[in-house]
Amino acid sequence: QVQLVESGGGLVQAGGSLRLSCTASGSIFSIRSMGWYRQKPGKQRELVADVTNSGIISYADSVKGRFTISRGNAKNTVALQMNSLKPEDTAVYYCNTQHYIGVPTWGSGTLVTVSS
């Protein structure tokens, strides 16, 4: 099993920046990708960005050019640099790992609030 610990998040004004970090522990050999999802009030959870072990990166259209995802050299960390934040980025952000076998793992979530 994999355990995820998130850090970062908080309150920022529109146009500001925040950085989210996530560290995986446990059976990290089973991880094939790491990423971030978010859930806005009353909405379904959606992909923000993810990166595979081979370095293939995907971004939601709404964050392209503003957010940057990166993996650490040890492949058990993932960070999300969020720039030019907008009020519509307000959400709970969840770290996620996809595995070669088994179900995905989720972090507990961290709240990002962007004030206008």
Side-chain angles (χ1 to χ4, degrees):
Q1 289 185 343
V2 170
Q3 297 78 42
L4 301 174
V5 176
E6 302 149 330
S7 61
L11 174 63
V12 65
Q13 288 189 330
S17 299
L18 283 174
R19 183 177 179 86
L20 306 181
S21 298
C22 176
T23 300
S25 61
S27 302
I28 61 174
F29 59 88
S30 70
I31 297 172
R32 63 178 176 86
S33 70
M34 296 186 74
W36 292 92
Y37 285 67
R38 67 186 180 188
Q39 188 164 16
K40 302 176 183 180
K43 302 289 187 180
Q44 287 190 332
R45 197 172 295 187
E46 60 180 5
L47 173 70
V48 177
D50 69 5
V51 53
T52 69
N53 288 350
S54 59
I56 298 172
I57 293 175
S58 299
Y59 290 105
D61 288 343
S62 59
V63 307
K64 285 180 180 177
R66 300 188 298 122
F67 291 11
T68 302
I69 192 169
S70 59
R71 293 275 297 271
N73 289 334
K75 302 297 183 185
N76 70 322
T77 60
V78 64
L80 185 69
Q81 179 65 41
M82 304 184 292
N83 299 328
S84 303
L85 282 160
K86 304 175 181 179
E88 51 264 43
D89 294 317
T90 295
V92 178
Y93 285 70
Y94 295 90
C95 182
N96 167 272
T97 54
Q98 303 284 335
H99 303 271
Y100 294 105
I101 299 175
V103 299
T105 300
W106 296 94
S108 58
T110 184
L111 178 63
V112 171
T113 303
V114 184
S115 62
S116 57

